[in-house]
Amino acid sequence: MQTDSHAMRDGYQGDGDFQSGGYRVVAGRVAPGVRRVVIDWAGGRSTDAQVSDGFFVGRVLGESAPDPEGGVDALGEPMRILDTPSVTVTAYDETDQVVGQEKDVNFAWRGPAHRPTPRS
């Protein structure tokens, strides 16, 4: 199983702050015998990904978190970013037996290029 995971947002407000509309997306490729892929997101949520022609994709709405770099917006307010904790991806065959699993899949950022202003 090969996976690729991204955090994306469509609520970008131009100041680098996450507002709303962000998604956590996991996609990948699986062996021909895989019939189902489950993505275990942080916080106890899980999703059956869409599987078609050896590929899968799943997404959930993201949640915001304080910027770990301590960035501030133009008004000096603390920025919030899309929270992207790692996930576990599990592949199942037609008998619902586990045939592959990847733990601690991390996210790559696919949003606007922006570095927050560090706090002093």
Side-chain angles (χ1 to χ4, degrees):
M1 177 169 45
Q2 297 175 330
T3 62
D4 192 16
S5 48
H6 300 283
M8 302 183 308
R9 63 180 173 193
D10 57 9
Y12 180 64
Q13 301 297 309
D15 62 359
D17 199 12
F18 170 77
Q19 299 294 323
S20 63
Y23 297 97
R24 297 173 62 212
V25 179
V26 177
R29 206 172 125 176
V30 292
V34 171
R35 297 293 179 256
R36 186 166 74 99
V37 172
V38 175
I39 303 165
D40 292 314
W41 311 93
R45 294 190 292 178
S46 68
T47 301
D48 276 15
Q50 296 294 315
V51 180
S52 179
D53 295 325
F55 293 90
F56 71 91
V57 64
R59 78 173 188 169
V60 294
L61 283 172
E63 297 179 12
S64 68
D67 180 2
E69 295 180 5
V72 296
D73 65 16
L75 299 174
E77 298 294 321
M79 288 197 332
R80 297 188 65 78
I81 61 168
L82 183 62
D83 191 19
T84 56
S86 62
V87 300
T88 297
V89 181
T90 307
Y92 298 87
D93 65 12
E94 66 268 353
T95 65
D96 217 29
Q97 297 297 309
V98 173
V99 294
Q101 185 176 69
E102 287 195 39
K103 295 182 178 185
D104 299 321
V105 176
N106 292 313
F107 286 81
W109 179 249
R110 293 290 183 258
H114 179 269
R115 294 308 265 165
T117 305
R119 289 185 183 207
S120 311

